[in-house]
Amino acid sequence: MSDQNVRNAGFTSSGIAGGSLASSMMSQEARASGGGVHSGGPTSTLQEMGARGSTHSSGFTSSGISRGSQASQMMSQEARTHGGGTPRGGTTSTVQSI
């Protein structure tokens, strides 16, 4: 995942850009959860990366998730929570796709 992709999606150091994919994700996630965006969810995870301005250490790469990385820990935790698999539209798959 490149820093540019995260910025292009609307996750920036100054917040989520209006009218962007990021704002659409945030709106959808808030509606699904009853009005808020949860810490550790796709929107907050990507915004954290956008605010930092760097995705390189996260472990989400163009060739997959790096072993031993923050991304692999997220994927493992999400898989345990969902009975062994990472759900489509979940944090790991959303962040990896971007």
Side-chain angles (χ1 to χ4, degrees):
M1 172 172 57
S2 76
D3 296 337
Q4 190 61 47
N5 287 350
V6 172
R7 283 190 298 277
N8 288 346
F11 298 99
T12 72
S13 59
S14 56
I16 290 177
S20 66
L21 172 62
S23 67
S24 176
M25 281 179 62
M26 183 174 68
S27 176
Q28 236 178 356
E29 192 175 338
R31 280 194 306 273
S33 66
V37 176
H38 297 289
S39 176
T43 303
S44 65
T45 300
L46 285 162
Q47 181 53 40
E48 180 184 342
M49 291 176 185
R52 260 195 332 244
S54 176
T55 62
H56 300 297
S57 64
S58 65
F60 293 98
T61 72
S62 60
S63 24
I65 291 177
S66 299
R67 182 154 94 196
S69 66
Q70 175 189 6
S72 69
Q73 290 172 0
M74 286 174 63
M75 183 174 69
S76 178
Q77 181 180 3
E78 192 171 17
R80 282 191 304 274
T81 302
H82 294 280
T86 53
R88 186 170 207 212
T91 303
T92 303
S93 63
T94 301
V95 174
Q96 179 62 30
S97 72
I98 290 176

